[in-house]
Amino acid sequence: MASEHPQHPHGLAFSDALMREVQQRFLNVGHDHHGKERLYFDNAGGSFRLKAAVERFAQVDAIPDNAERIHATAVELQDIQARGCDDLRTILNARGGSVYASLTASGAMFDMVRAIAENVPGTNMVTTVLEHPSAFDAMSLYAQRLGRELRVAPSNPVTGGIDVEEIVRLVDKDTCLLNVIYASNISGAKLDMEAIVRRAREIKPDLYIVVDAVQHAPHGLIDLQKTPVDGINLAPYKFFGCRGSGLSWVSERAAVLPHHKLAAKKPDYWDLGSSAPWQFAVLSEIVDYVCWLGGKFTQATDRRALFVAGITHIELHERALLAVLLDGNQNATGMREMRGVEVFLDHEDLTKRDLILGIGFEHIDCTQAVVEYGKRGVTVYERVATSLYSKRMLESFGLAGTVRVSPLHCNSVADMEKFLRITQDIARESALAGR
């Protein structure tokens, strides 16, 4: 994959000076909203917010004007929306197509699946066992409703992902839709999207493909010129932005398939009702930030080039953090060497992983471990097989549960060291209590 950076297999951390600059741009890093010290390592559930995004949200949402007017403020709101649409294309390296702003990325996934499943002929639909419920359940619903076979690619318990071969062997000339996640929100394993798209289209050149990029978008590069798909979504609240917004891109051919819309709107228009201009303003703040970061590493002035440099160095910094968590450094023991701690789905090649870890303790279950972390000022999340968001994926790996650890690039190496010391403390105390 193009974004692997083999020259930095263990990542490249930000300098101390840049780390300070980055942290200053985010809210609540190092403490909660009451000012209490904590490590927030549940960014896969909702990421740290950019100060500029939150401020811009309030500023734009306070404007009462309807954008569908001709006066100056309405035109200003139209410009905000147009820039936000351009910026979604900047993130994705997309050309043409339609931008769809919705309340959630999950809602958009159901809409994209429905439009394709109801209007594209075929006898089967293909997805994977690691999909988020919004994708898997949408595929299940419309396969059942339309009498289609649902084919599900199994996971690989060694890599924590899905092998390309397991997906493409399910695709044939009668497949109407392939729906795949870009990276697992359990293991952090990245799917080889370039190979999946290329090989699936070798089997069926006009195959419709939809991708859930919610988990991956904040952590690595997406390039639709290399992975041409028909629908892709992201969630700004997991991408340094604000909750209550899902943004998707739909290809030109998918955009004109019959879908819910006002009859008078253009055939490729997907928004229903008046748009919320703040959604687009917040997305532009996210892209502004990543481009600012990119400007630290490139002399380029093109917005996509700046974004590529920024997201690339986010990926490299996060890989360095992952390497510290796994292998430690001179200041802290890594979890691979820690007694009483197991790292699940621990694939050696860090270039194939986003910054998500699943861990378990020898003497306490994952739910109790989350409680113990909370007592020590650390927020993590238990993924358990009784949860509708986790059951299918965990069972595919043979796991009953895992503690999901998901920092963000605005965390420092020192944060990782602190987390490792706390983890070792929990392992030691639980072992003593279990004797």
Side-chain angles (χ1 to χ4, degrees), residues 5 117 130 149 153 224 234 266 309 322 369 375 399 405 435:
H5 322 297
L130 295 187
E149 178 192 3
L224 295 193
L234 55 86
K266 293 179 180 177
L322 179 60
K375 291 176 183 176
L399 296 173
V405 181
R435 284 179 180 172

Side-chain angles (χ1 to χ4, degrees), residues 69-89:
R69 304 290 186 267
I70 62 172
H71 59 275
T73 301
V75 172
E76 181 184 352
L77 295 174
Q78 291 164 21
D79 290 344
I80 289 170
Q81 181 166 340
R83 183 169 187 250
C85 289
D86 287 344
D87 279 334
L88 182 63
R89 292 184 174 90

Side-chain angles (χ1 to χ4, degrees), residues 161-177:
I162 309 282
D163 296 343
V164 174
E165 191 61 44
E166 293 291 346
I167 295 173
V168 298
R169 72 180 180 82
L170 300 178
V171 175
D172 60 32
K173 61 182 177 57
D174 294 315
T175 303
C176 78
L177 172 59

Side-chain angles (χ1 to χ4, degrees), residues 40 45-47 49 57 103 236-238 241-246 278 282:
Y40 178 76
S47 77
R49 288 1 183 197
F57 170 95
L103 183 64
Y237 85 98
K238 294 188 180 183
C242 301
R243 197 177 294 275
S245 173
W278 70 259
V282 164

Side-chain angles (χ1 to χ4, degrees), residues 276-336:
W278 70 259
Q279 289 183 276
F280 301 95
V282 164
L283 190 76
S284 290
E285 291 295 341
I286 294 167
V287 176
D288 281 350
Y289 164 74
V290 178
C291 289
W292 164 81
L293 186 60
K296 302 288 185 178
F297 301 97
T298 180
Q299 299 299 312
T301 56
D302 173 76
R303 194 158 171 82
R304 170 66 183 179
L306 285 165
F307 183 87
V308 168
I311 204 74
T312 295
H313 281 274
I314 283 173
E315 184 177 6
L316 287 170
H317 176 73
E318 290 189 345
R319 188 180 303 158
L321 299 184
L322 179 60
V324 171
L325 287 173
L326 292 169
D327 296 320
N329 59 19
Q330 66 273 22
N331 298 320
T333 302
M335 286 188 285
R336 283 173 171 165

Side-chain angles (χ1 to χ4, degrees), residues 41-349:
F41 280 15
D42 189 23
N43 287 276
S47 77
F48 285 117
R49 288 1 183 197
L50 282 165
K51 293 175 182 176
V54 173
E55 291 165 4
R56 187 67 171 147
F57 170 95
Q59 181 185 52
V60 173
D61 199 48
I63 301 169
D65 301 60
N66 189 313
E68 297 184 11
R69 304 290 186 267
I70 62 172
H71 59 275
T73 301
V75 172
E76 181 184 352
L77 295 174
Q78 291 164 21
D79 290 344
I80 289 170
Q81 181 166 340
R83 183 169 187 250
C85 289
D86 287 344
D87 279 334
L88 182 63
R89 292 184 174 90
T90 296
I91 292 170
L92 302 172
N93 201 21
R95 295 166 194 163
S98 293
V99 172
Y100 176 30
S102 54
L103 183 64
T104 66
S106 292
M109 178 58 73
F110 271 83
D111 290 340
M112 291 188 291
V113 169
R114 176 183 184 175
I116 295 168
E118 288 188 338
N119 297 289
V120 175
T123 60
N124 68 80
M125 299 161 63
V126 177
T127 191
T128 85
V129 73
L130 295 187
E131 301 305 308
H132 185 273
S134 62
F136 194 90
D137 294 355
M139 292 288 282
S140 300
L141 173 69
Y142 287 103
Q144 182 178 28
R145 185 173 292 180
L146 300 166
R148 304 254 174 79
E149 178 192 3
L150 182 64
R151 299 176 176 177
V152 182
S155 62
N156 182 328
V158 175
T159 66
I162 309 282
D163 296 343
V164 174
E165 191 61 44
E166 293 291 346
I167 295 173
V168 298
R169 72 180 180 82
L170 300 178
V171 175
D172 60 32
K173 61 182 177 57
D174 294 315
T175 303
C176 78
L177 172 59
L178 168 61
N179 193 338
V180 293
I181 196 167
Y182 216 118
S184 168
N185 59 18
I186 295 269
S187 68
K190 295 184 284 188
L191 275 64
D192 189 344
M193 204 57 64
E194 282 189 49
I196 291 166
V197 171
R198 183 185 71 252
R199 292 187 57 190
R201 291 249 175 81
E202 286 172 358
I203 297 165
K204 184 178 182 182
D206 62 348
L207 178 66
Y208 280 78
I209 302 173
V210 170
V211 172
D212 174 358
V214 172
Q215 182 56 59
H216 178 63
H219 304 290
L221 192 63
I222 297 171
D223 188 347
L224 295 193
Q225 298 311 303
K226 294 180 178 178
T227 60
V229 299
D230 293 285
I232 187 167
N233 64 347
L234 55 86
Y237 85 98
K238 294 188 180 183
F239 199 166
F240 333 142
C242 301
R243 197 177 294 275
S245 173
L247 287 159
S248 306
W249 178 88
V250 189
S251 72
E252 290 177 6
R253 67 172 184 163
V256 296
L257 293 172
H259 59 278
H260 287 166
K261 76 173 193 68
L262 301 181
K265 295 287 187 178
K266 293 179 180 177
D268 63 351
Y269 193 82
W270 278 59
D271 287 2
L272 283 168
S274 300
S275 65
W278 70 259
Q279 289 183 276
F280 301 95
V282 164
L283 190 76
S284 290
E285 291 295 341
I286 294 167
V287 176
D288 281 350
Y289 164 74
V290 178
C291 289
W292 164 81
L293 186 60
K296 302 288 185 178
F297 301 97
T298 180
Q299 299 299 312
T301 56
D302 173 76
R303 194 158 171 82
R304 170 66 183 179
L306 285 165
F307 183 87
V308 168
I311 204 74
T312 295
H313 281 274
I314 283 173
E315 184 177 6
L316 287 170
H317 176 73
E318 290 189 345
R319 188 180 303 158
L321 299 184
L322 179 60
V324 171
L325 287 173
L326 292 169
D327 296 320
N329 59 19
Q330 66 273 22
N331 298 320
T333 302
M335 286 188 285
R336 283 173 171 165
E337 302 300 321
M338 208 175 282
R339 291 184 63 182
V341 177
E342 182 179 1
V343 181
F344 299 126
L345 311 168
D346 185 18
H347 188 44
E348 287 288 334
D349 187 352

Side-chain angles (χ1 to χ4, degrees), residues 11-66:
L12 183 66
F14 295 154
S15 68
D16 290 344
L18 181 56
M19 192 75 253
R20 286 192 294 271
E21 282 192 77
V22 166
Q23 290 187 335
Q24 287 167 2
R25 288 173 177 257
F26 285 85
L27 292 161
N28 301 319
V29 178
H31 57 81
D32 67 14
H33 60 292
H34 296 299
K36 184 178 179 181
E37 185 177 327
R38 79 159 174 173
L39 289 177
Y40 178 76
F41 280 15
D42 189 23
N43 287 276
S47 77
F48 285 117
R49 288 1 183 197
L50 282 165
K51 293 175 182 176
V54 173
E55 291 165 4
R56 187 67 171 147
F57 170 95
Q59 181 185 52
V60 173
D61 199 48
I63 301 169
D65 301 60
N66 189 313

